[in-house]
Every structure is written in structure tokens, then in C-alpha cells.
Amino acid sequence: MSNVRRTDAVLLLVALVWGSSYLSAQTATAALPVLLVLFARYALSAVACLGLVASWRGSRRWTRDELRAGVPLGVTQAAVLGVETYGVAHTSAANAGLIISLTIVLTPLLDRGGHRGALPVSFFAATGVCVLAVGLLMSGNGFHALRLGDLLMLGAALIRAGHVALVGRFTTGRAIRPLHLTTVQTLVGTALFLPAAALDLPTLVRADPATWAQLVYLALFCSVFAFLAQTWAVQRTSASRASLLLGTEPVWAVAVGVALGGEHLTPLTGLGAALMLAGTYWGQAVERAHRSAQEPRLLSTPALDKDRDKDSACPSTPTTTSPTTTLTST
């Protein structure tokens, strides 16, 4: 499997896990207060991450880049999960998974990293197909007027788009280890939600095993694994491409709803799922071609051209800059 396909597969697995998270979050918030669920999710995630760091064979210390990136990304990630969880508590799990997929449209508008220029019109045409797919998926269970939860999920989609763009901006080209970055994010989230959930901690202790199972799943799979995998993958691709693959989340949300939630797959729902996959595949192909076309241009910048002119004007002057160093700095 090529590196590109491996990265795509990881992002699709993250989308699958997140697609299943809405039903788990809805079940957990039905038994516990929203802020308590958020604190428990982050606290369990932080404990797991710290355990992984403790078993790390390399340096266990955090670098300055990891702390500088982890703190703001921890705040934005906490904002995403906070708004998402409140949204799920006030709408259906299917609607939540479908509306959040609008991140695929919003991320390219906020993604200004990489200096690759504006994306082609065909990319936005692909995202338009995905938006149409969302509409069909929602119509499969009947259209509903926008509720408070739906509006919150729209806000979560906007915040998540900004978060994905920031992950790419803060981590690309830097020696940042996904595990250490994720640990900082979980610690920041735990600290943010602890004061609001402190009074309800006795309720958490008395929670039944089924609720704890949902919390553990949200923490270990939907948080630790997903955060690590997302950071690892975004470092190896673009934020726009990542958002397209993560945009398959509603397909998995519908699949989980049919398999575990007792929902029915209608013809419109099936068509919407097919269009979502087609739009995602089309969009990632356009983005890959655009990125490949831009890379040769990045290797020939005015600064490098100026340096080459100086070198050609003074051929007898020795240089200590190797081709590898030049490519790395570029």
C-alpha cells in the first residue's frame, strides 16, 4: 500500500469511529450531564495518553513546538467536542453526523497553509456533491426544521474546520510527535471541563456499567485513537484532503444507526451515501493532482533563483550548502 493510500485509509477509519461516536455520546448524555460526559471523556483520554508517553522508548519530554501547538489545539478541540456534545443532546444522532460533515466545505475556505494557491473549481464542485449527499441522507429519514441541536452542530462544523486547518498549520514541517501533541490536548481539555463538572463527580461514580462502557469507548477510540490518527495523517497530507475523507463520517453514522440504532435504510439514504463516497473520491483526486502540480513550483522560488544567480556569478567560491539541505529548507 502506498503512503498516500495508507494515509487515506487511516483517515477513513477515523471517520468510521467518529461516525459511531454520536450514538455513544447521545446514550451517555441521556444518563449523565453533558459537561460531566465531556470531563470524563477527556480525563480517561489523558490517563491513557500519559500511560503511553510513560512507556515511550524515546524522549518523554515535550518540545517547545509540541507545547506551543498543543495548548491552542487543545482549546479548539475542546470547543469542537463541547458544541458537538451539546448538539447531539438536542438532536438526533443521525442529524448530528450529517450536519457536521459540512466541515468538508468550510475547511478549504479556512485552509491557507502550504502556500499552494487557490483550489480549482472542480474541488468545490466535489464538495457540492457531498453537500447534496448530506441533503439526501437527511431526507431519507424525513426533513425536519432546524432545531437548537442542529444549529449547534452547524457551529461545531465551523469550529472543526478551523481546528483541522490549525492542525495542518501548526504541525506541518515541524518535528511534532502525535502522541505528545495529543496528550497536551487531552490535558488542556481535562483542565477546561473540570471546574464545570466538579459538583457532579459523585454522579459519575454511581454510573452504571453500560454508561461507563460508552465513556471508555468515547475516550479511547473516539478521542485518543482518533486524535492521534488525525494528527499523524494531516502531517502527511493537506487539511483540505483530510476534511474530504473525514467527510465520509455521515455514511458511517447512517451505517451504525441502521446496524445498532434500529434505523431503516431508504433508497434516498442509499443514494446519498453513494454520492458522498463519489464526491469524496472525486475531491481527493482533484486535490492530489493540484498538490502534485504545485510542488515543482515550490522548488523554484525567487529566493532560490537569486541564490543560484549568485553561485553562477562566483563559480570559484566554495559552497557548504548540499542539495539535501536546500530541498529541506525549501
Side-chain angles (χ1 to χ4, degrees), residues 207-281:
D208 59 75
T211 301
W212 272 104
Q214 301 292 348
L215 293 175
V216 170
Y217 177 74
L218 288 170
L220 299 186
F221 289 92
C222 303
S223 293
V224 176
F225 164 75
F227 294 171
L228 281 171
Q230 182 192 32
T231 303
W232 177 88
V234 170
Q235 284 180 307
R236 289 157 177 78
T237 184
S238 70
S240 298
R241 183 183 179 88
S243 71
L244 273 172
L245 292 166
L246 294 175
T248 61
E249 191 175 313
V251 176
W252 307 117
V254 171
V256 171
V258 171
L260 302 177
E263 299 179 3
H264 299 287
L265 183 65
T266 66
L268 284 179
T269 302
L271 178 60
L275 283 177
M276 177 63 72
L277 293 174
T280 299
Y281 183 82

Side-chain angles (χ1 to χ4, degrees), residues 46-327:
V47 170
C49 285
L50 288 172
L52 291 173
V53 170
S55 62
W56 188 265
R57 293 184 179 181
S59 175
R60 298 183 180 90
R61 295 183 179 181
W62 281 264
T63 65
R64 185 173 299 179
D65 282 342
E66 288 165 350
L67 293 174
R68 284 179 175 177
V71 172
L73 290 178
V75 173
T76 56
Q77 185 63 263
V80 172
L81 289 183
V83 178
E84 267 189 16
T85 306
Y86 270 108
V88 170
H90 293 87
T91 189
S92 67
N95 267 20
L98 297 171
I99 294 173
I100 198 67
S101 67
L102 293 176
T103 301
I104 64 176
V105 181
L106 299 172
T107 301
L109 302 178
L110 300 177
D111 181 17
R112 291 295 181 265
H115 308 290
R116 298 190 181 98
L119 287 164
V121 176
S122 54
F123 179 88
F124 293 95
T127 60
V129 172
C130 293
V131 172
L132 175 61
V134 170
L136 290 173
L137 287 168
M138 292 183 68
S139 68
N141 294 316
F143 284 109
H144 302 282
L146 285 176
R147 294 168 286 187
L148 173 62
D150 299 326
L151 294 174
L152 288 172
M153 294 309 300
L154 286 173
L158 178 60
I159 300 171
R160 184 193 280 193
H163 174 74
V164 173
L166 287 176
V167 170
R169 185 172 301 178
F170 288 163
T171 63
T172 302
R174 294 183 173 89
I176 292 179
R177 295 160 294 183
L179 174 58
H180 290 65
L181 178 65
T182 301
T183 304
V184 176
Q185 290 179 261
T186 57
L187 290 172
V188 169
T190 302
L192 288 174
F193 289 117
L194 175 58
L199 295 178
D200 293 319
L201 289 179
T203 305
L204 180 63
V205 176
R206 294 191 297 269
D208 59 75
T211 301
W212 272 104
Q214 301 292 348
L215 293 175
V216 170
Y217 177 74
L218 288 170
L220 299 186
F221 289 92
C222 303
S223 293
V224 176
F225 164 75
F227 294 171
L228 281 171
Q230 182 192 32
T231 303
W232 177 88
V234 170
Q235 284 180 307
R236 289 157 177 78
T237 184
S238 70
S240 298
R241 183 183 179 88
S243 71
L244 273 172
L245 292 166
L246 294 175
T248 61
E249 191 175 313
V251 176
W252 307 117
V254 171
V256 171
V258 171
L260 302 177
E263 299 179 3
H264 299 287
L265 183 65
T266 66
L268 284 179
T269 302
L271 178 60
L275 283 177
M276 177 63 72
L277 293 174
T280 299
Y281 183 82
W282 179 22
Q284 67 170 313
V286 171
E287 192 277 336
R288 182 171 63 248
H290 175 70
R291 181 149 48 101
S292 298
Q294 292 295 323
E295 284 174 354
R297 300 180 186 179
L298 295 176
L299 295 177
S300 179
T301 63
L304 288 176
D305 293 340
K306 186 176 180 180
D307 290 339
R308 293 191 189 99
D309 292 341
K310 288 181 180 180
D311 291 340
S312 61
C314 304
S316 61
T317 303
T319 176
T320 58
T321 303
S322 66
T324 303
T325 305
T326 302
L327 289 175

